[in-house]
Structures are given as structure tokens and as C-alpha cells.
Amino acid sequence: MYIKEEQLRKWVKGNASAVDFLLMVMKISHVWDDLIDKDKSLEDDVINHCFFDALVRLPRNEFYRKNFDHLNSIMMNSMSNWLISNDLEREGGDLQLNIAFILRSSYVDLITQSALLVGGQAWASQVGKEVRKLTHHEKFDGYLRALNEEKKARQAAER
């Protein structure tokens, strides 16, 4: 995970419940990605903990509950974009990969929107620029290298 807890804390102006919400969503997203890509072996405890977070802790999170109507729609859109990006990656092609590179990180919109909820639109715009730069630090070439490794790992797991 590229985004550290201290950075999240700054972006949500110290709101501990918002930090916990974002950390859970990022962790769940990464485990889900690893399960689909089959590029990492996950211990049962990691998977079990992730499902507990998704099914028990996340719905009980104070920040998420208070802002559910706003955040849940963004979460649904992020999931849709991630699924679309996986399909585009598997299709291949320059256009598809360029689109997938950005779409797959739509979960960071939850960070920008959390910043909006705690600090207003100007703050959200500032945070949005910072989080996008950090999220795409690998640049497109790095993304393509990682995608190639994931494809190899997935093919090996399917054998």
C-alpha cells in the first residue's frame, strides 16, 4: 500500500474514524485484487481478517455510517471501475491499458470525498491532486511491468 496512515490522517484532518474507514477499504481492495490477480499467495488469516473487516467492522465504522449515502455510491463506482479495468487489462491494447491504468485506482476517490466531508471542496481539490500523484507514482511504464508480472503469476496459478 503506497498511502501511509499518517498521510491519510492529514488528508482527513485527524478524523480517526475516517482514517480507519479508509485503511479498511484500501486493505480490503488490495486483498480482493490479490485474490483475482492470483499474483500473491495469501494466508488464510489475511483472507479471514479481510472478510471480517468487510462484513462486520466496515458497516460499523462511525464515519462510514454517518456518511453512508455519500460514500457508498462512490464505493460502488470504484468497484465497477476496478472490474472494468480488469476486463480492459485482459483485452490488452494501448487504449484499453491507458484507460485501465487510471480506472483501477478509483478507490482513491474515497479519500478525496472523505477530505471533502471533513474539510470542504477546496480542501478536497488539494487532497485529490496529492493522492492522484501518489497513487500513480509508478507511472504508466511501471504499471505495464507490474501488469506483465501479474499475468505471468496468474498463468502459473491456472496451470
Side-chain angles (χ1 to χ4, degrees), residues 107-126:
Y107 70 92
V108 301
D109 292 337
L110 287 167
I111 298 170
T112 304
Q113 292 302 300
S114 294
L116 175 97
L117 292 167
V118 300
Q121 184 57 52
W123 180 245
S125 293
Q126 180 181 330

Side-chain angles (χ1 to χ4, degrees), residues 1-156:
M1 200 176 323
Y2 305 122
I3 301 171
K4 298 189 183 312
E5 185 174 342
E6 308 86 64
Q7 185 63 55
L8 288 174
R9 188 169 284 107
K10 175 187 165 216
W11 286 333
V12 295
K13 297 186 174 276
N15 185 314
S17 183
V19 171
D20 191 43
F21 162 73
L22 292 168
L23 287 172
M24 270 192 282
V25 170
M26 289 189 308
K27 186 172 126 196
I28 292 165
S29 299
H30 285 287
V31 169
W32 189 3
D33 185 69
D34 291 341
L35 288 168
I36 295 299
D37 289 343
K38 298 173 183 65
D39 61 337
K40 293 182 184 169
S41 177
L42 295 172
E43 298 293 324
D44 289 354
D45 285 348
V46 171
I47 297 168
N48 290 333
H49 188 79
C50 179
F51 273 82
F52 184 84
D53 283 353
L55 296 171
V56 177
R57 288 188 62 231
L58 185 62
R60 293 179 179 191
N61 177 274
E62 178 186 344
F63 183 77
Y64 186 47
R65 290 171 68 97
K66 179 181 175 188
N67 299 292
F68 179 84
D69 290 341
H70 186 88
L71 295 170
N72 189 256
S73 296
I74 294 155
M75 194 176 307
M76 287 188 307
N77 192 62
S78 298
M79 288 178 195
S80 293
N81 283 341
W82 178 75
L83 292 168
I84 292 165
S85 75
N86 283 336
D87 289 344
L88 290 170
E89 287 173 352
R90 290 175 184 174
E91 285 178 18
D94 290 342
L95 177 61
Q96 290 87 337
L97 293 176
N98 275 285
I99 295 168
F101 174 57
I102 300 300
L103 277 185
R104 75 177 295 102
S105 63
S106 291
Y107 70 92
V108 301
D109 292 337
L110 287 167
I111 298 170
T112 304
Q113 292 302 300
S114 294
L116 175 97
L117 292 167
V118 300
Q121 184 57 52
W123 180 245
S125 293
Q126 180 181 330
V127 168
K129 287 186 280 187
E130 291 176 17
V131 74
R132 282 291 171 182
K133 289 176 185 176
L134 184 61
T135 303
H136 296 105
H137 77 283
E138 67 183 343
K139 299 183 183 166
F140 189 64
D141 290 342
Y143 161 74
L144 292 176
R145 281 191 299 276
L147 183 60
N148 189 44
E149 293 303 314
E150 287 173 11
K151 284 181 183 180
K152 288 179 188 174
R154 187 171 43 254
Q155 289 169 346

